[in-house]
């Protein structure tokens, strides 16, 4: 990471905590995580020392919370008129894109770290496989990064944060649902097997669940990293096109 990207990352992170947005997000994330884990996930009723009920809901929790973080990344700069100023600074566009992304990704990582008491609780109650839990945390953070990269690209495409939020939620849901049988059945009727396999391989859920089992397959890790890199590259292209227009 370059020095300019790190400077922008720090500026963005400080910006989060200059408003109530960061605290509201963290509070909502922690409350909903607790509700999903202990009530909907039946944490105590399962009588098992693991955090599966906690991680099972992350893909759906992120579907609404991550777009709320990413929607402001570029849309706000465009709306307030600071985008032009930012682009005139001697900073490479890729550094600006990377810096904003890293700030949002670190912020989502902080939200995950704050759920540490859940991990401590499950260790106090039993003897969980901490390797599996650590892998699930890593998978969850990588998935959050993929959501954020998509959101940054779509935030760059519009000055309206609400539209950016909705588009991000829709596109992320499409990647979540890609591996669902009901979706694949539609393709089975007319598409060749390689295309069906290709659609299934795009599923966030399938890759996250694989990592969440404690199996760190390089293909699952690369999938999320390629998704992040691809969408960040697309963000740069979108901003370049908007600037040229």
């Amino acid at each position: 990471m370059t020095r300019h990207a790190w400077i922008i990352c720090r500026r963005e992170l400080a910006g989060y905590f200059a408003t109530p947005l960061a605290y509201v997000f963290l509070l909502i994330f922690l409350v909903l995580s607790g509700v999903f884990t202990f009530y909907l996930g039946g944490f105590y009723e399962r009588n098992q020392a693991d955090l599966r009920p906690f991680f099972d809901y992350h893909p759906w929790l992120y579907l609404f919370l991550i777009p709320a973080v990413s929607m402001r990344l570029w849309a706000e700069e465009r709306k307030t008129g600071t985008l032009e100023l930012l682009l005139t600074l001697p900073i490479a566009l890729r550094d600006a894109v990377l810096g904003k992304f890293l700030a949002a990704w670190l912020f989502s990582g902080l939200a995950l770290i704050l759920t540490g008491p859940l991990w401590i609780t499950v260790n106090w109650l039993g003897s969980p496989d901490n390797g599996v839990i650590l892998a699930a945390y890593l998978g969850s953070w990588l998935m959050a990064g993929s959501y954020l990269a998509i959101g940054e690209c779509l935030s760059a495409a519009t000055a309206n944060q609400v539209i950016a939020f909705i588009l991000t939620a829709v596109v992320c849901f499409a990647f979540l649902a890609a591996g669902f049988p009901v979706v694949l059945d539609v393709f089975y009727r007319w598409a060749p097997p390689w295309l069906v396999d290709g659609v299934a391989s795009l599923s966030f859920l399938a890759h996250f669940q694989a990592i969440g089992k404690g199996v760190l397959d390089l293909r699952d890790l690369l999938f999320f990293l390629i998704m992040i890199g691809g969408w960040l590259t697309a963000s740069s292209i979108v901003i370049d096109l908007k600037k040229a227009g």
Side-chain angles (χ1 to χ4, degrees):
M1 185 172 63
T2 67
R3 185 172 65 88
H4 287 151
W6 177 239
I7 290 172
I8 291 178
C9 175
R10 285 190 301 174
R11 189 200 79 161
E12 289 289 318
L13 264 178
Y16 287 145
F17 292 98
T19 69
L21 175 66
Y23 304 100
V24 171
F25 174 89
L26 293 173
L27 180 63
I28 292 175
F29 178 74
L30 294 175
V31 169
L32 289 180
S33 292
V35 169
F36 286 144
T37 302
F38 292 105
Y39 293 98
L40 299 181
F43 178 80
Y44 291 113
E45 290 78 2
R46 292 175 67 250
N47 201 28
Q48 293 184 28
D50 61 29
L51 283 181
R52 186 173 174 181
F54 169 63
F55 289 110
D56 277 351
Y57 289 99
H58 277 202
W60 309 105
L61 199 54
Y62 289 167
L63 201 56
F64 297 99
L65 293 181
I66 295 294
V69 175
S70 65
M71 67 181 185
R72 58 177 293 276
L73 289 177
W74 288 101
E76 189 173 73
E77 299 274 9
R78 195 183 301 281
K79 183 180 178 183
T80 57
T82 55
L83 178 60
E84 290 75 12
L85 175 63
L86 179 62
L87 295 179
T88 58
L89 297 175
I91 299 174
L93 180 56
R94 64 175 181 279
D95 288 340
V97 170
L98 181 61
K100 282 177 171 287
F101 168 77
L102 286 176
W105 202 19
L106 289 174
F107 179 66
S108 66
L110 173 64
L112 282 173
I113 289 173
L114 291 177
T115 64
L118 282 174
W119 195 351
I120 295 172
T121 300
V122 79
N123 271 277
W124 181 63
L125 293 173
S127 301
D129 187 333
N130 286 312
V132 171
I133 294 176
L134 183 61
Y137 267 109
L138 175 64
S140 180
W141 193 47
L142 287 171
M143 184 170 60
S146 299
Y147 278 46
L148 285 169
I150 292 172
E152 179 165 2
C153 181
L154 297 174
S155 175
T158 177
N160 189 312
Q161 295 189 32
V162 176
I163 293 176
F165 177 94
I166 294 171
L167 288 176
T168 303
V170 169
V171 173
C172 289
F173 177 74
F175 277 103
L176 266 184
F180 286 3
V182 65
V183 174
L184 296 178
D185 283 347
V186 173
F187 286 88
Y188 276 128
R189 295 171 188 167
W190 58 273
W194 63 265
L195 181 56
V196 178
D197 292 340
V199 172
S201 70
L202 293 175
S203 170
F204 282 166
L205 201 57
H207 292 284
F208 172 61
Q209 288 176 338
I211 296 175
K213 292 175 183 173
V215 181
L216 292 180
D217 191 315
L218 186 60
R219 289 169 296 183
D220 295 317
L221 301 177
L222 282 177
F223 168 78
F224 285 119
L225 294 177
I226 290 172
M227 287 293 293
I228 292 171
W231 281 97
L232 291 185
T233 302
S235 300
S236 297
I237 294 172
V238 169
I239 296 168
D240 248 346
L241 290 174
K242 290 281 185 179
K243 185 172 62 175

